[in-house]
Amino acid sequence: MKAAPFAYVRPSRLSDAIAELAETRGGGKVIAGGQSLTPVLAMRLARPDTLIDINSVEELGALTRSGPALHIGATVRQRRVERDPLGASVPLLRLALPWVGHRELRSRGTVCGSLAHADPAAELPAVACCLDAELTLSGPNGHRRVSAREFFHGAMTTALTPDEILTSVRLPVAAAGEGFGFAEIARRHGDFALAGVAVRVRLRAGGPEATMTAFGVSDRPVTRDLSERLAAAVNDGGDGLAGRLKEQLVAVVEEIVDTDGDIHASRDYRRRLLLALAGRELSKAYERARDGAEEVTT
Amino acid sequence: MTVGEAGSREAGPRTPRPVKAGADDPVEVRMTVNGTPTVLSLPARVTLADALRDHLGLTGTHVGCEHGVCGMCTVLVDGEAARACLLFAVQLDGTDIVTVEGLGRPDSLHPLQESFGRHHALQCGFCTPGFLMSSYDLLVNKPDVTEEELPEELSGVICRCTGYRNILTAVDQTRRAHPEGIPGPGNCVRTALVGRAGQGTDASGGPDEAGDTVSPSVQDIVLPSGDPTIAVRITTEIDLPEDRVWGVLDDIYLLARCLPGAELTDDYGNGHYAGRARVSVGPIKLAFNGVAQILEHDREAGRLRAIAQGQDTGGAQTQADITLTTEATGTGTAMHADAKVYLTGRIAQFGRALAGDVSRRMFEQFADAVTEAATSGQAPSGPVKAPSALSLVFAPLLDRVRRLLRGAGPRRRSGRDKER
Ligand SMILES: Cc1cc2nc3c(=O)[nH]c(=O)nc-3n(C[C@H](O)[C@@H](O)[C@H](O)COP(=O)(O)OP(=O)(O)OC[C@H]3O[C@@H](n4cnc5c(N)ncnc54)[C@H](O)[C@@H]3O)c2cc1C
Ligand code: FES
Ligand code: FES
């Protein structure tokens, strides 16, 4: 099907983009890569009266590193982050990006667009939550900063108000002693995940710290601190960390997976998937942190 | 809708300019498509896939699902594979697009196309353009991709004929054959890009902005730089002195009416004209609207050169470069017509031989009409009839049958020969 008619605005300054969006009084939509929005328009699930194309706003195209954070502007394409050497400073992002749809979609899809779209089964929101990223939202009343864990309110609902633009996301750059893991199960590569995990492990003097964000199993990414459970599994000693971790994680996984079953997977099946993925990726991340194998580039 | 070609000065990437357009207001978009700079004016909701197919006549880009799932519409945008159904054309101002038409030429296929053919990687062919563009992007950006990774890397395109095994083989063999990287697109040359304007089936679903006839604006016609689809050379003996013949050639209106099925509709001055031409071959009926430009008109040297560009309502496109030269002979005048014809869109599917036969017939009729006009001093009564099914289809067939019956090889004909 074809999209219903819409007015089209392509400003070249952020202030103009914000003003144009405000002018539509809720009838407008921002378009970045269009990889999620265009299908919705084509199926006429949405009929915004105006699209505000932010792609000509130069300041939104920045991909920069400042100190401990990677700054990704609203129009930075996913494939650019995959390729740019700067992208390697956030290994979890690099691990997750190949799972986002297909190459052909990542050529145009933006990192921020994926966050703003807030699909519960999407990879990048989980990455942002796991790393506790910081999002900048800009509107007629100026800028505000929201942490990723507070940004996602539910399926396709976020902290963004209708007159706000997500201008950038800041992700922490990996430090020494950190390791990451990412995996998902989908019916076919490029499909949305039935269950997936993003994990971060940090070795500290007092014991390892572990954060896991699960996605595809609830109406938003779900993040848990698993430091104690990782420590327990590690302290048990011996081989088979992943297996021991699974035992540790049964209760957490039970509680996290609250999505109903659908034709692709029942709730129980999703729990089994998540448990397997979580055990495997946490142990991988732990080993990567220990081996210092994670490549950290400047 | 307006379709035109921007001069080369306007080629190259540009930053899209600020735009503010109401719903269904046309927005100007300038893209370089397969090496040809184009300017389109489209409502914002027209996708790149529809712009390519309906407005530029590039129907190689297929459309399946129209929401990003099937991969049929994959093209290169600034060198990267992207879904043409998930992009609004207006968003692509200043970009460089390569479609499957730009990948290789019929007579010189891209190695990937070659390999798809060799390994039977296409059955119905519907997914083939998508697979070609996706795998091109893959081999360019990840030349070290392993055979094991191929199924996943190519999972962005779906083949309903389930020809995956052969598709994977074709891509893998191409990669092996070109360890230093696969060659770039081989057909990004300036060509005629005109769509099926006037058909009223553009993505807006409403009436086409241009109405039924396209009135081409005054513009310089830029001929394609590739080889012509057909080259015809015909020599006719006319039993009249050269200046009588030039009596016809000097009068553009009279001359146009000697072209079978053609007529001039507008004189823009400076040697630019608008016109129409009808061709009917059996069930096929094409009505072209187009522009022509006289590049050279030199009675002294006995040379007249004109170029023309036309489009029909169904997306067939043609461009022609025609040179007429005359020379005095003992008994009258020898007129040589040299034509290079470039075809794209559905008429290109005629096949070269038939299209060549048709074109040659038309020039023979033209030469006869010039003779008649020069003899009588006036236009043939009414425009010369559009070439009809009988003369166009059966005459070449009869020729061939006769040739066969004579058991001869290529027929030798004095003064008349057809190239290619
Ligand atoms: C076949 C297919 C498969 C896919 N598979 C996956 C997958 O596996 N995983 C996945 O994560 N995604 C997938 N996607 C979705 C898409 O590719 C995501 O990457 C992403 O949502 C697209 O970002 P975008 O820049 O194209 O956003 P757009 O489509 O431009 O925008 C998406 C939404 O966010 C809003 N928006 C965008 N940018 C901003 C901004 N800066 N400020 C405020 N609002 C904004 C828009 O208004 C719109 O509502 C798939 C899509 C398709 C078509
Ligand atoms: S038509 Fe574009 S992906 Fe199916
Ligand atoms: S060859 Fe028919 S769809 Fe692939």
Side-chain angles (χ1 to χ4, degrees), chain A residues 1-13 20 23 31-44 49-51 53-56 58 77 79-80 83 98-99 101-108 188-191, chain B residues 15-24 27-28 44-47 50 63 65-69 74 77-78 80-83 85-88 90-93 95 130 133-135 137-139 141 152-158 203:
Chain A
M1 259 171 77
K2 312 286 182 190
F6 52 79
Y8 176 75
V9 191
R10 185 172 60 213
S12 51
R13 287 189 316 203
E20 294 286 357
E23 206 176 284
I31 185 165
Q35 303 300 288
S36 289
L37 184 59
T38 312
V40 168
L41 297 180
M43 292 187 267
R44 301 213 178 177
D49 38 60
T50 307
L51 287 196
D53 184 345
I54 55 174
N55 287 286
S56 284
E58 218 169 288
R77 316 253 178 238
R79 237 177 141 185
R80 179 167 161 211
R83 286 206 198 124
W99 296 94
H102 305 277
R103 262 178 301 126
E104 297 92 331
L105 298 156
R106 301 196 296 272
S107 298
R108 303 299 298 186
R188 177 181 77 129
H189 177 85
D191 281 4
Chain B
T15 323
R17 296 144 299 169
V19 167
K20 185 162 183 163
D24 278 344
V27 179
E28 189 181 278
R45 63 171 167 149
V46 176
T47 64
D50 288 334
V63 175
C65 65
E66 300 198 285
H67 58 264
V69 176
T74 305
V77 178
D78 288 335
E80 285 188 17
R83 302 281 205 240
C85 72
L86 290 190
L87 294 169
F88 293 115
V90 295
Q91 291 194 283
L92 299 167
D93 197 42
T95 57
M133 302 319 278
S134 177
S135 52
D137 167 278
L138 175 66
L139 296 187
N141 289 295
E152 188 167 302
E153 288 289 355
L154 293 175
S155 62
V157 188
I158 294 173

Side-chain angles (χ1 to χ4, degrees), chain B residues 40-188:
Chain B
L40 294 172
S41 177
L42 301 163
R45 63 171 167 149
V46 176
T47 64
L48 174 63
D50 288 334
L52 292 170
R53 291 179 55 86
D54 296 343
H55 299 271
L56 297 175
L58 294 169
T59 50
T61 300
H62 291 171
V63 175
C65 65
E66 300 198 285
H67 58 264
V69 176
C70 71
M72 298 303 110
C73 62
T74 305
V75 299
L76 305 181
V77 178
D78 288 335
E80 285 188 17
R83 302 281 205 240
C85 72
L86 290 190
L87 294 169
F88 293 115
V90 295
Q91 291 194 283
L92 299 167
D93 197 42
T95 57
D96 190 53
I97 311 287
V98 178
T99 69
V100 71
E101 287 92 342
L103 199 57
R105 298 194 337 216
D107 56 349
S108 164
L109 294 176
H110 188 272
L112 267 169
Q113 293 173 309
E114 245 277 301
S115 185
F116 267 58
R118 195 155 9 92
H119 297 284
H120 305 291
L122 66 164
Q123 294 177 60
C124 76
F126 191 66
C127 69
T128 312
F131 265 114
L132 287 170
M133 302 319 278
S134 177
S135 52
Y136 176 81
D137 167 278
L138 175 66
L139 296 187
V140 166
N141 289 295
K142 198 173 174 183
D144 53 350
V145 64
T146 64
E147 198 178 345
E148 291 69 38
E149 289 168 327
L150 282 179
E152 188 167 302
E153 288 289 355
L154 293 175
S155 62
V157 188
I158 294 173
C159 173
R160 317 179 204 205
C161 297
T162 66
Y164 295 106
R165 198 143 284 289
N166 297 345
I167 292 167
L168 298 176
T169 309
V171 175
D172 192 48
Q173 293 299 315
T174 313
R175 177 185 63 86
R176 284 167 199 273
H178 297 273
E180 268 89 61
I182 59 164
N187 196 27
C188 285

Side-chain angles (χ1 to χ4, degrees), chain A residues 33-285:
Chain A
Q35 303 300 288
S36 289
L37 184 59
T38 312
V40 168
L41 297 180
M43 292 187 267
R44 301 213 178 177
L45 294 172
R47 304 174 73 134
D49 38 60
T50 307
L51 287 196
I52 290 98
D53 184 345
I54 55 174
N55 287 286
S56 284
V57 179
E58 218 169 288
E59 59 196 287
L60 297 180
L63 175 64
T64 49
R65 178 172 166 184
S66 57
L70 181 69
H71 168 106
I72 304 177
T75 60
V76 174
R77 316 253 178 238
Q78 293 154 3
R79 237 177 141 185
R80 179 167 161 211
V81 180
E82 267 178 277
R83 286 206 198 124
D84 196 298
L86 274 181
S89 63
V90 182
L92 186 56
L93 199 53
R94 281 279 176 99
L95 288 175
L97 278 168
W99 296 94
V100 181
H102 305 277
R103 262 178 301 126
E104 297 92 331
L105 298 156
R106 301 196 296 272
S107 298
R108 303 299 298 186
T110 63
V111 172
C112 287
S114 176
L115 301 179
H117 187 60
D119 190 296
E123 293 81 6
L124 301 183
V127 168
C129 287
C130 185
L131 297 179
D132 204 10
E134 182 185 80
L135 283 64
T136 302
L137 321 187
S138 310
N141 304 322
H143 306 291
R144 62 187 179 116
R145 296 189 166 180
V146 177
S147 93
R149 293 178 194 170
E150 278 152 25
F151 181 73
F152 300 99
H153 290 180
M156 296 182 187
T157 23
T158 67
L160 277 167
T161 58
D163 57 1
E164 279 180 321
I165 295 176
L166 169 57
T167 40
S168 69
V169 57
R170 282 164 64 85
L171 295 144
V173 162
E178 283 191 306
F180 303 89
F182 187 96
E184 70 178 52
I185 302 288
R187 288 166 59 244
R188 177 181 77 129
H189 177 85
D191 281 4
F192 282 101
L194 297 176
V197 287
V199 301
R200 175 198 210 179
V201 168
R202 222 188 313 205
L203 300 184
R204 286 285 159 91
E209 275 177 24
T211 311
M212 175 182 89
T213 303
F215 61 99
V217 294
S218 185
D219 69 343
R220 74 196 81 171
V222 187
T223 306
R224 292 285 183 269
D225 183 338
L226 301 179
S227 305
E228 281 174 28
R229 291 183 170 83
L230 176 60
V234 169
N235 291 338
D236 260 6
D239 285 343
L241 178 60
R244 292 199 306 280
L245 268 166
K246 272 174 71 176
E247 284 165 31
Q248 290 284 338
L249 296 176
V250 174
V252 192
V253 163
E254 179 94 0
E255 171 248 332
I256 288 177
V257 180
D258 65 1
T259 193
D260 282 334
D262 56 24
I263 52 162
H264 304 308
S266 66
R267 189 188 294 209
D268 272 352
Y269 180 53
R270 284 194 153 92
R271 284 190 172 134
R272 290 221 301 280
L273 291 179
L274 183 60
L275 191 60
L277 292 174
R280 194 178 80 196
E281 293 308 313
L282 261 179
S283 79
K284 258 199 222 166

